[in-house]
Amino acid sequence: MSVAFRRERDEEHKEPRFELPIPPGPNLVTAAGLALTEAKVAALEAAVAAESDTERRAPIERELRYWRTRLATAELAPPPPADEAAFGSRVTFRLNGETRVFAIVGDDEADPANGKIAFSAPLARALIGAGPGDFSDFGGKVDAIEVISVAAIED
């Protein structure tokens, strides 16, 4: 029989399902980030157990694999120093004449709309190591950021 008339399985025509990408580098987390990851794993495990349809369960299992990996590799970061911006700090700074406040957190707990940026973000990298009264370069501009205050994140 000709190959043209052979029925192929439906799976052969689907897009491949790759695993969710894991951010490179260490998986640093705050205490709140660790709790968030644990809660996400528990919720996804419950969702997998509740879902009987294998097709609808597959993406949930995929996401669960991601979060289990993140939980297994999570490293609780030590408390930040009091006098300089670091992982786990809430930093008040001035950029382009506008005062802003961001907490420097792990990749999975980052939420810029709610004032949390990942430690791997360019803005966080520009802030890390700076203390009140310091200036940092950002966006190709010298002394673009003025750090006003630094405090530890309160979980």
Side-chain angles (χ1 to χ4, degrees):
M1 177 192 287
S2 172
V3 175
F5 296 106
R6 182 174 61 103
R7 176 167 167 77
E8 297 178 7
R9 297 184 325 218
D10 290 337
E11 289 83 33
E12 292 178 13
H13 299 288
K14 292 182 179 177
E15 286 288 319
R17 303 264 171 141
F18 299 106
E19 291 299 317
L20 295 172
I22 303 286
N27 182 16
L28 296 175
V29 295
T30 63
L34 184 58
L36 172 100
T37 304
E38 290 169 341
K40 192 75 170 169
V41 167
L44 288 168
E45 286 173 343
V48 166
E51 185 57 64
S52 59
D53 181 17
T54 36
E55 187 125 345
R56 288 193 304 229
R57 190 173 56 234
I60 301 169
E61 289 174 332
R62 176 180 177 238
E63 189 173 354
L64 179 58
R65 285 190 300 274
Y66 171 84
W67 286 103
R68 280 183 175 159
T69 301
R70 297 303 280 171
L71 183 58
T73 60
E75 297 175 34
L76 191 58
D83 59 344
E84 71 179 43
F87 186 95
S89 295
R90 182 171 311 287
V91 184
T92 304
F93 61 96
R94 190 169 294 116
L95 176 64
N96 297 328
E98 183 181 335
T99 301
R100 300 177 183 186
V101 179
F102 276 115
I104 301 172
V105 297
D107 290 312
D108 294 321
E109 57 188 309
D111 184 2
N114 288 314
K116 297 179 180 181
I117 57 172
F119 70 98
S120 56
L123 179 58
R125 289 195 314 260
L127 291 169
I128 290 174
D134 289 346
F135 289 85
S136 295
D137 301 344
F138 182 67
K141 296 178 184 172
V142 177
D143 294 341
I145 300 173
E146 177 188 4
V147 177
I148 299 169
S149 68
V150 177
I153 296 173
E154 298 174 10
D155 289 323

